[in-house]
Amino acid sequence: MEALVRMSRTIGERNRALLGAAHAVLALLDGPDADSGTAAEVGWAAAHRLPVVGWRSDLRLADHEAAPVNLQVEDFVLVSGGTMVTTLDEAVAALDALRAAGLASATS
């Protein structure tokens, strides 16, 4: 049990370090609801002014017809300076636009 706790803390620390070193986040938001870990990463990124591209190709709606994903997750994506997209091509274009604007690096 103790080993699992240490492993979980190590994974969490590593994930936080990688987010801290990133210049942008690409968040896959498919499914009936966004994965809780992904939602947490989106919130962390927004709080740290790290732009998020939220990619939702799933046609199911979240809260209502104007909400493709949980409204708070979408809000964090948008206030981070990022955008919501529905295709991989749009995701790549959004990351390229962030890079061109100086908000993300070529390695994001």
Side-chain angles (χ1 to χ4, degrees):
M1 177 76 154
E2 188 176 314
L4 288 174
V5 170
R6 282 194 312 273
M7 180 186 69
S8 294
R9 296 292 78 76
T10 300
I11 291 169
E13 290 169 10
R14 178 73 173 144
N15 190 35
R16 201 170 50 253
L18 289 168
L19 282 168
H23 297 277
V25 172
L26 174 59
L28 179 57
L29 301 172
D30 281 351
D33 196 22
D35 172 78
S36 60
T38 303
E41 292 164 346
V42 168
W44 188 97
H48 290 85
R49 301 178 188 264
L50 182 61
V52 178
V53 174
W55 175 17
R56 179 147 174 106
S57 63
D58 194 328
L59 299 177
R60 293 174 283 188
L61 299 176
D63 297 324
H64 51 74
E65 63 271 3
V69 70
N70 174 284
L71 65 93
Q72 193 60 64
V73 171
E74 182 179 24
D75 181 67
F76 283 145
V77 167
L78 298 177
V79 301
S80 76
T83 188
M84 293 292 298
V85 299
T86 59
T87 68
L88 179 57
D89 288 341
E90 290 174 336
V92 170
L95 290 170
D96 284 344
L98 288 170
R99 184 178 342 121
L103 298 174
S105 76
T107 59
S108 295

